[in-house]
Amino acid sequence: MTRKKYLYKKESGLKEVIAINYFRKIWIAQVFSQLGDKFLIVLTIFIISKNWSNSIPTFSDQPEKAITLLASGVYLANSLPAIFLGAIAGVFSDRWPKVPIMIASNVLRAVLVILIPVCLIPGPIINGVSWGYWFLLIIIFLISCLTQLFTPAEQSAIPLIVSSNKLLAANSIYQSTTMGAIIIGFAFGEPLLKILGETFQSIGILGGEFLLLPICYGAASLILNKIKLKESLKPKLKKNIFYDLNSGLIVLKKVPTVRKAILQLVILYCLMASLYVLSIGLASSITILGPTKFGVLLSFTAIGLAFGAFLMAQKANLIQGHKLPAIGLCLIALSLLLLEQSKGLLGFTLAICTLLGVGASLVAIPAQTSVQKNTPEESLGKVLGLQNNVINIALSLPLLIAGALVTQLGVTPVLFLLAGLALFGALFENFL
């Protein structure tokens, strides 16, 4: 089954892609959905710190440790569906119409976040913590399950809307807005929640901070409702889900460009997850920051990634066909080596983090574009589901491994080890 062809102008820059009506709508919906996901994490930490930080007897005099412990449960509830359900969700995005999947996912997430205030109702204590905390974890888990349905449906819908010569620019726009959502969500989430809460409280209404999430998911649903996709759905077969999962693996085996692109993404996300751990040690060496402000380094990496994505969106017609992932991995390796030399120097470290982010954009965007362009339409959802599975594993395991290595060896040896992994991915890309 071949992907439908669209006729557009030759140019594939930022303006030309945004001018595509359905792409613009799905992009704006993605912005609201991404912001909702980030605000959700901020809201849960906000609730934990305000209501349950003193509820654990062991840490009664150390509320920051109680918050960290309870927050780890939130991260676990959010991560488990991403690790175990991604591939299965990809199968359904091939079997079912993509736009209804995205709309239903956002509507149901909006309904679930409306239930969050119920967590604050006094009730029994379970394992030393209020029942509301455990109910919150269930809500987070269910929301994450719905997110797994949304992601492959969204990613596989883009090639149906955008012609192949514009995919690189389209993915660049998506990547830059994803990074923007991370920066805005984590930087402005708490102030926005407080402003909403205080604003509604001034007119006699409590709980105004809980309106932010349903607004985000609801807006995404309304925008997506205006999209009408013409897609070739896979007929309902008697074959089970595991057959479809295996067919996705067959695509990876038979199409080396797709396999290579996904492996490049796995290497990239292993490096970025490890950087999350290393940034704490790097920030500790900078007096003006300290370990608690490691997020500053990650923010500059996100800025570099967004900047690289913006450049590719503008110059997509000039750079298609180049070996950008290999160049990006080399740039990441160089940045990691330079970070070892920049310890204690704030300006230099921030510049290198930005450069590292640019390198990450050179890997992530062309690799994702390659997956979308070279996977048959009828298998795209399954392949993207498998991709999301391995990427989420690549994001999770390095957090444990890198943390243990930094504890045993220190930051410098781990930086060299990661630089070696990046160089391996760049120099041996033809063997991936």
Side-chain angles (χ1 to χ4, degrees):
M1 196 176 297
T2 58
R3 186 169 292 132
K4 185 177 179 179
K5 302 296 181 181
Y6 293 84
L7 298 177
Y8 295 106
K9 296 178 182 178
K10 182 179 180 181
E11 294 84 5
S12 55
L14 186 64
K15 291 182 180 179
E16 289 75 18
V17 175
I18 293 178
I20 302 172
N21 183 37
Y22 283 171
F23 174 79
R24 185 171 63 253
K25 285 183 171 62
I26 200 172
W27 169 54
I28 295 172
Q30 180 237 13
V31 171
F32 279 107
S33 184
Q34 289 268 359
L35 285 174
D37 292 340
K38 305 306 175 292
F39 289 148
L40 175 63
I41 299 299
V42 175
L43 177 63
T44 54
I45 304 305
F46 181 80
I47 292 172
I48 287 170
S49 62
K50 192 175 179 181
N51 297 278
W52 303 315
S53 59
N54 296 315
S55 64
I56 301 179
T58 310
F59 302 119
S60 57
D61 57 342
Q62 296 174 302
E64 68 281 355
K65 289 189 176 180
I67 293 170
T68 301
L69 179 63
L70 295 175
S72 65
V74 172
Y75 297 139
L76 182 63
N78 190 56
S79 300
L80 287 177
I83 294 173
F84 294 107
L85 299 180
I88 296 174
V91 171
F92 290 119
S93 74
D94 279 339
R95 290 186 175 188
W96 298 342
K98 295 173 178 55
V99 173
I101 289 176
M102 292 187 280
I103 294 172
S105 171
N106 279 295
V107 169
L108 291 174
R109 283 187 287 180
V111 171
L112 285 170
V113 295
I114 290 173
L115 296 176
I116 289 178
V118 176
C119 301
L120 304 181
I121 298 174
I125 303 298
I126 303 174
N127 291 333
V129 187
S130 169
W131 78 277
Y133 171 72
W134 304 106
F135 185 57
L136 178 63
L137 292 188
I138 293 172
I139 292 175
I140 298 294
F141 178 84
L142 293 175
I143 289 173
S144 182
C145 290
L146 292 168
T147 301
Q148 304 320 305
L149 282 173
F150 178 85
T151 302
E154 176 195 40
Q155 291 173 339
S156 57
I158 296 175
L160 301 176
I161 298 170
V162 180
S163 58
S164 60
N165 68 309
K166 289 181 170 64
L167 271 179
L168 185 63
N171 283 314
S172 299
I173 295 169
Y174 259 70
Q175 194 66 56
S176 61
T177 51
T178 298
M179 291 301 105
I182 291 173
I183 297 168
I184 294 171
F186 290 135
F188 300 105
E190 187 175 1
L192 281 173
L193 291 172
K194 288 182 177 179
I195 290 171
L196 276 172
E198 292 170 0
T199 300
F200 279 87
Q201 189 173 4
S202 66
I203 59 175
I205 300 175
L206 298 178
E209 63 269 23
F210 296 106
L211 294 176
L212 185 58
L213 294 176
I215 287 173
C216 287
Y217 291 130
S221 301
L222 290 174
I223 295 167
L224 288 167
N225 194 46
K226 298 179 180 180
I227 298 175
K228 308 296 181 185
L229 273 187
K230 291 183 179 180
E231 53 181 310
S232 301
L233 292 177
K234 184 175 180 179
K236 294 182 179 180
L237 302 175
K238 294 182 179 180
K239 298 183 176 70
N240 58 33
I241 288 176
F242 296 103
Y243 176 87
D244 279 348
L245 289 175
N246 186 58
S247 68
L249 293 171
I250 291 172
V251 172
L252 298 184
K253 182 179 179 181
K254 291 186 175 180
V255 187
T257 52
V258 175
R259 182 175 66 249
K260 181 173 75 172
I262 291 178
L263 288 174
Q264 288 170 333
L265 288 170
V266 169
I267 292 173
L268 172 65
Y269 284 103
C270 281
L271 294 170
M272 299 305 287
S274 301
L275 181 65
Y276 177 86
V277 176
L278 291 171
S279 63
I280 299 173
L282 292 169
S284 299
S285 68
I286 302 172
T287 305
I288 198 173
L289 290 182
T292 59
K293 294 185 178 179
F294 68 95
V296 173
L297 304 184
L298 297 177
S299 295
F300 272 80
T301 303
I303 289 170
L305 209 158
F307 178 71
F310 177 78
L311 287 181
M312 275 193 280
Q314 287 291 76
K315 305 295 181 182
N317 58 316
L318 300 178
I319 58 179
Q320 287 182 5
H322 293 195
K323 292 190 174 183
L324 292 179
I327 296 172
L329 287 169
C330 286
L331 201 57
I332 292 172
L334 175 63
S335 300
L336 290 169
L337 295 174
L338 290 174
L339 278 175
E340 195 281 326
Q341 302 295 321
S342 68
K343 289 180 181 178
L345 303 173
L346 177 61
F348 189 34
T349 301
L350 294 180
I352 298 305
C353 286
T354 305
L355 182 66
L356 192 151
V358 173
S361 70
L362 297 180
V363 181
I365 297 165
Q368 187 64 63
T369 303
S370 178
V371 173
Q372 291 172 326
K373 288 176 69 172
N374 296 303
T375 303
E377 180 188 337
E378 65 271 16
S379 300
L380 186 54
K382 293 185 283 291
V383 170
L384 289 171
L386 290 168
Q387 172 194 298
N388 292 333
N389 257 140
V390 294
I391 283 177
N392 282 303
I393 293 170
L395 284 169
S396 302
L397 290 181
L399 292 175
L400 301 174
I401 298 172
L405 288 175
V406 169
T407 302
Q408 294 294 323
L409 304 176
V411 172
T412 299
V414 179
L415 282 171
F416 283 120
L417 182 64
L418 294 175
L421 175 62
L423 280 176
F424 171 82
L427 298 177
F428 296 94
E429 65 164 346
N430 291 330
F431 299 97
L432 293 177

